[in-house]
Amino acid sequence: MISRPSNSGTATPHEGFSTEQYFETQPPPPDLDARIQPARDFVERWNRVEGKKVVVVTSGGTTVPLEANTVRFLDNFSAGTRGSTSAEYLLSAGYAVIFLHRQHSLKPFSRHYSHSLNPFLDLLHLPEPGASRQDISVTNQDANHLLPVLKAYKEAQTAGTLLQMDFNTVNDYLWILREMARVMGVLGRRGMFYLAAAVSDFFLPLDRMAEHKIQSVKGNLVLEMDQVPKVLRPLVQEWLPEAYIVSFKLETEQALLIPKAQKALTRYGHQAVVANDLHKRKHEVCLVEKTPRSGQEADSTSEFTETWLKLEQLANRKTSSGSTPEIEELIIDELLKRHEVWLKG
Ligand code: 9Z3
């Protein structure tokens, strides 16, 4: 059982933490400034290029540690497929991409050869007996798939258009996200946030967290967690009012999906929510937006527009490499058009 010290911080668990209280009471990752510096340099560099759009893609799940010296933590299912795939399409559309991902989750390009789905060692063939070790080969069929991935990867590397940063805990994520908002501010409307990471709704505040490994001899483990503050509100309304912000809404009950996406738009006032059902997320999503009235930007009185995107819409767009269609291509296509309009606003 986690003991609860008498000085339980500035907020009781039932009141919940406001965003300000959260950042006042929960410590930043120790190396925060050093971790953000590459992003400052990256944004400064691309900000000098006229018209260049920069996007922060968040990806993967956040952990919630149960102990300060962490042995156990809560996690969620997200593998980082949505984020890493979307990052590739954004790069090919000309964006400079900051890929903020959960440590060890899928990354752009290397995701095609993840150790579980498609281990890269299985692509390689040993040299014929007597041949030199330089003669390790890839079959023609595998090379067809590998070549476009490799080309796009090398292009991004050479151009310096992809910066990867990682997080582990939900606390890391929140601190880094707030810093990224500060860094991205200079870009104005050219900045985009694409918030695909699966962020925990609950956490254990530091002052109620066991310092050392929780011992089983003390009986059952009872956890009471606090709500993670909804940082989307200050992100949109205070930190980055000019950026184009896309959040994701995940549900497992179809009936809740669209109403909850609409509620998020009304509450936070950002530009778009990609609503996805856990089980259908790889073949259908819905882009939910406020409908602007003619000649005006959307506001709290606007109605909603829903655009369903389905994998079958890509059936006729098979690529020359024969790679499988991905719904992220449709999501990014739609968002590009909207970001263009936002830029002119
Ligand atoms: C998503 O909904 C993503 O599409 C998935 C992608 C996590 C489903 P995978 O990484 O999965 O491809 O395996 N992300 C956002 C989930 C989330 O935490 N949304 C919050 C909510 O639904 C709002 S920010 O309340």
Side-chain angles (χ1 to χ4, degrees):
M1 163 113 176
I2 292 178
S3 62
R4 182 188 303 263
S6 52
N7 61 332
S8 60
T10 51
T12 68
H14 299 292
E15 282 166 358
F17 283 72
S18 67
T19 305
E20 293 76 36
Q21 282 171 329
Y22 183 92
F23 287 112
E24 275 162 21
T25 55
Q26 307 306 303
D31 48 356
L32 182 64
D33 198 55
R35 283 164 75 175
I36 301 297
Q37 193 52 46
R40 288 191 196 105
D41 300 340
F42 185 88
V43 169
E44 196 182 302
R45 170 183 173 195
W46 289 114
N47 187 34
R48 287 197 296 266
V49 177
E50 209 189 317
K52 188 76 177 177
K53 287 175 276 182
V54 182
V55 59
V56 173
V57 176
T58 71
S59 183
T62 54
T63 66
V64 179
L66 304 188
E67 299 129 339
N69 291 283
T70 309
V71 175
R72 286 107 167 192
F73 53 85
L74 299 186
D75 204 351
N76 68 53
F77 73 95
S78 170
T81 311
R82 175 80 79 223
S84 57
T85 308
S86 303
E88 285 181 28
Y89 287 105
L90 284 157
L91 282 165
S92 83
Y95 278 73
V97 176
I98 299 176
F99 184 65
L100 177 56
H101 66 96
R102 160 75 179 279
Q103 204 175 35
H104 309 309
S105 65
L106 294 176
K107 293 183 182 176
F109 309 116
S110 67
R111 68 167 175 114
H112 297 272
Y113 299 97
S114 84
H115 59 279
S116 53
L117 294 178
N118 197 5
F120 89 94
L121 285 179
D122 289 354
L123 299 181
L124 305 178
H125 297 273
L126 286 170
E128 294 297 323
S132 80
R133 66 192 165 150
Q134 278 98 328
D135 291 330
I136 292 172
S137 59
V138 177
T139 61
N140 257 343
Q141 198 193 339
D142 289 330
N144 275 345
H145 180 258
L146 181 61
L147 192 62
V149 175
L150 195 59
K151 267 190 179 159
Y153 172 62
K154 296 286 180 193
E155 263 169 38
Q157 255 187 348
T158 312
T161 44
L162 174 63
L163 176 73
Q164 313 206 46
M165 300 169 67
D166 63 14
F167 59 81
N168 202 353
T169 66
V170 66
N171 188 55
D172 289 349
Y173 173 86
L174 295 173
W175 277 96
I176 295 174
L177 189 72
R178 188 172 76 157
E179 288 306 308
M180 290 312 300
R182 291 179 174 156
V183 170
M184 291 283 288
V186 291
L187 292 157
R189 291 196 168 220
R190 282 190 287 147
M192 187 202 274
F193 270 65
Y194 183 87
L195 302 168
V199 182
S200 173
D201 283 327
F202 304 103
F203 79 111
L204 204 51
L206 191 67
D207 66 358
R208 298 212 313 276
M209 198 187 284
E211 190 185 348
H212 291 289
K213 182 179 170 228
I214 300 165
Q215 298 298 319
S216 58
V217 287
K218 293 193 177 162
N220 292 347
L221 175 65
V222 179
L223 288 175
E224 182 170 272
M225 304 183 104
D226 278 49
Q227 264 194 48
V228 169
K230 304 285 182 206
V231 293
L232 196 49
R233 186 192 301 277
L235 181 74
V236 175
Q237 296 171 9
E238 295 164 35
W239 304 339
L240 267 182
E242 287 198 295
Y244 188 83
I245 298 181
V246 184
S247 73
F248 279 71
K249 173 56 69 185
L250 174 69
E251 291 298 336
T252 56
E253 281 179 75
Q254 184 83 22
L256 293 180
L257 194 57
I258 304 301
K260 299 262 303 237
Q262 294 177 342
K263 198 164 153 198
L265 284 176
T266 306
R267 255 197 198 157
Y268 309 124
H270 57 306
Q271 285 65 49
V273 175
V274 179
N276 50 180
D277 175 286
L278 178 69
H279 304 293
K280 299 182 185 161
R281 70 189 192 281
K282 296 199 182 198
H283 53 93
E284 85 175 29
V285 303
C286 185
L287 184 59
V288 184
E289 298 158 284
K290 289 250 173 114
T291 318
R293 278 164 300 166
S294 57
Q296 289 174 23
E297 279 187 9
D299 64 24
S300 57
T301 62
S302 312
E303 297 293 316
F304 298 99
T305 307
E306 279 122 46
T307 312
W308 282 94
L309 304 174
K310 301 193 180 193
L311 199 56
E312 63 218 31
Q313 294 165 238
L314 282 173
N316 303 325
R317 277 207 232 172
K318 234 174 173 234
T319 60
S320 54
S321 66
S323 59
T324 26
E326 297 169 312
I327 197 161
E328 288 76 9
E329 182 176 350
L330 289 174
I331 303 175
I332 300 305
D333 268 7
E334 292 296 321
L335 292 175
L336 294 181
K337 292 184 239 163
R338 285 150 175 86
H339 192 192
E340 267 314 305
V341 174
W342 177 251
L343 261 174
K344 294 182 186 129

